[in-house]
Amino acid sequence: MKIVVVGYALTSKKIKSFLQPKLEGIARNKGILFVAIDQTKPLSDQGPFDIVLHKLSGKEWQHVLEDYRQTHPDVTVLDPPDAIQHVYNRQSMLEDVADLNLSDAYGKVGVPRQLVIKKDPSSIPDAVNSAGLRLPLVAKPLVAKSHELSLAYDQYSLKKLEPPLVLQEFINHGGVLFKVYIVGEAIKVVRRFSLPDVSKPELLKNAGVFRFPRVSCAAATADEADLDPSVAELPPRPLLEKLARELRRRLGLRLFNLDIIREHGSADKYYVIDINYFPGYGKMPEYEHIFTDFLLSLARSK
Ligand SMILES: Nc1ncnc2c1ncn2[C@@H]1O[C@H](COP(=O)(O)OP(=O)(O)OP(=O)(O)O)[C@@H](O)[C@H]1O
Ligand SMILES: O=P(O)(O)O[C@H]1[C@H](O)[C@@H](O)[C@H](OP(=O)(O)O)[C@@H](OP(=O)(O)O)[C@H]1O
Ligand SMILES: [Mg+2]
Ligand SMILES: [Mg+2]
């Protein structure tokens, strides 16, 4: 059996959450070896690798990888740096979902209406008005690696926020979201608690912006919770398969997840609100088997 060598360049946090002993054990049994990349040495002096797995930031690292891809076309780099940059910006992140305009017998998938504010917070109320965005609005940093989130009940309070940011219409969805993890062709969905619905009276009664810490983190799993079945029901598998297949192709990514919500009161109206590159796979059920099978399939297809 030929060994598949996977070089990895990950933060120590990511190594801890992803490269767990169970994953390494299962990988070893399947003939996969994970080898840490030494960033202080030239990449081409290391390996040889069959696959390079990475999630590091910085222009310098991006250039190193781009050069390496050019000079080592037989190595699979997961994923291409430019494709990753595209989802690190909340303006471009959801463009492909919007263009896809997916609608079939299983449902409709769109994105919330949104507006980008590059600078000048004092211009926000007018900008929101001319764009016809409906309150409440979610404000998110333009750079997707920042996770502060605010909910604004009135357009004037938005002046207090610091651009660059994206203002997105808040969609009531019953307080539960679906995290769709994608690894190549494999898909797994989990439920997470999310922000609760905002009612009309509540909207009229309140003003101001409310800042939230990390909302739908792993601790907020809703998989075992006693939920209203119409809220808890997972999105139809065929719809997710189609969405994942299309986005894999359009984004040029193989490792990502989607946050999807279903409009409360509707049976089939879905919104993608977030896309994350190389997310916390440690929280994806059975990721050890799914990920190692994916690595093997890549090596075999070469
Ligand atoms: N348009 C929206 N309508 C309703 N709720 C939303 C909307 N956008 C975001 N949320 C809520 O806010 C949370 C955080 O937003 P988002 O997922 O965009 O941020 P993030 O920091 O990129 O999250 P992640 O940790 O998944 O990377 C969502 O998980 C969801 O609970
Ligand atoms: O899997 P979900 O719930 O979507 O959340 C992930 C975030 O989206 C990722 O951005 C985190 O990874 P980074 O810390 O490498 O950005 C990732 O961190 P982790 O891999 O250390 O768990 C998760 O927090
Ligand atoms: Mg999210
Ligand atoms: Mg995100």
Side-chain angles (χ1 to χ4, degrees):
M1 185 165 69
K2 188 192 168 292
I3 299 285
V4 177
V5 184
V6 181
Y8 64 89
L10 302 169
T11 59
S12 50
K13 172 176 169 277
K14 202 64 165 179
I15 291 172
K16 195 157 166 249
S17 73
F18 172 75
L19 213 58
Q20 294 180 18
K22 185 171 174 196
L23 175 76
E24 285 201 284
I26 290 173
R28 207 177 307 116
N29 288 337
K30 292 184 182 177
I32 301 167
L33 187 66
F34 288 101
V35 178
I37 288 171
D38 183 345
Q39 276 197 86
T40 64
K41 295 193 183 127
L43 195 47
S44 33
D45 293 354
Q46 302 177 58
F49 303 124
D50 297 290
I51 295 165
V52 168
L53 201 60
H54 70 100
K55 187 173 183 182
L56 290 179
S57 31
K59 276 267 168 282
E60 210 175 312
W61 171 247
Q62 263 183 58
H63 288 140
V64 168
L65 272 183
E66 280 304 355
D67 284 349
Y68 185 77
R69 264 166 43 101
Q70 300 288 324
T71 50
H72 298 72
D74 48 330
V75 180
T76 306
V77 174
L78 291 173
D79 276 312
D82 53 343
I84 299 172
Q85 289 311 309
H86 183 73
V87 297
Y88 275 169
N89 177 307
R90 294 192 202 266
Q91 183 169 22
S92 47
M93 170 199 280
L94 301 179
E95 276 169 1
D96 299 87
V97 182
D99 291 347
L100 180 59
N101 205 4
L102 180 55
S103 175
D104 67 10
Y106 293 99
K108 254 178 166 350
V109 183
V111 301
R113 291 201 301 153
Q114 69 174 37
L115 181 66
V116 179
I117 307 288
K118 291 267 167 67
K119 44 182 195 271
D120 189 13
S122 67
S123 70
I124 297 178
D126 282 344
V128 165
N129 219 357
S130 348
L133 290 190
R134 289 211 343 212
L135 295 158
L137 295 176
V138 186
K140 309 179 188 186
L142 185 58
V143 177
K145 282 182 264 184
S146 294
H147 302 280
E148 309 102 59
L149 182 101
S150 306
L151 189 60
Y153 284 81
D154 71 288
Q155 68 198 70
Y156 299 100
S157 308
L158 289 162
K159 280 192 223 173
K160 292 182 221 157
L161 297 174
E162 284 167 43
L165 50 85
V166 161
L167 297 175
Q168 204 173 72
E169 285 189 341
F170 180 86
I171 314 279
N172 281 339
H173 55 283
V176 171
L177 75 76
F178 308 104
K179 281 228 174 236
V180 182
Y181 288 92
I182 295 164
V183 176
E185 286 173 17
I187 302 177
K188 281 273 173 188
V189 193
V190 300
R191 283 183 204 92
R192 293 269 175 89
F193 281 116
S194 178
L195 294 175
D197 289 356
V198 178
S199 67
K200 275 244 168 64
E202 229 176 301
L203 178 62
L204 295 171
K205 200 172 67 197
N206 289 304
V209 288
F210 297 85
R211 287 164 209 263
F212 290 93
R214 205 74 185 256
V215 185
S216 303
C217 57
T221 176
D223 273 327
E224 309 301 328
D226 187 13
L227 300 165
D228 170 354
S230 74
V231 167
E233 194 183 344
L234 297 179
R237 189 87 201 170
L239 187 71
L240 295 183
E241 303 258 349
K242 202 167 183 178
L243 180 64
R245 190 178 343 113
E246 277 296 329
L247 289 184
R248 218 162 30 227
R249 192 173 62 79
R250 289 175 186 239
L251 296 170
L253 295 176
R254 279 157 289 191
L255 301 177
F256 59 106
N257 74 4
L258 311 169
D259 289 351
I260 301 190
I261 54 179
R262 180 173 50 232
E263 191 163 5
H264 201 175
S266 116
D268 60 359
K269 217 162 154 207
Y270 295 91
Y271 293 87
V272 175
I273 53 170
D274 186 26
I275 300 180
N276 301 299
Y277 175 63
F278 201 150
Y281 285 120
K283 294 162 246 159
M284 168 183 176
E286 302 166 86
Y287 87 99
E288 297 91 343
H289 286 284
I290 292 173
F291 213 97
T292 47
D293 284 347
F294 166 65
L295 295 172
L296 284 186
S297 74
L298 283 180
R300 280 199 205 104
S301 69
K302 273 200 291 184

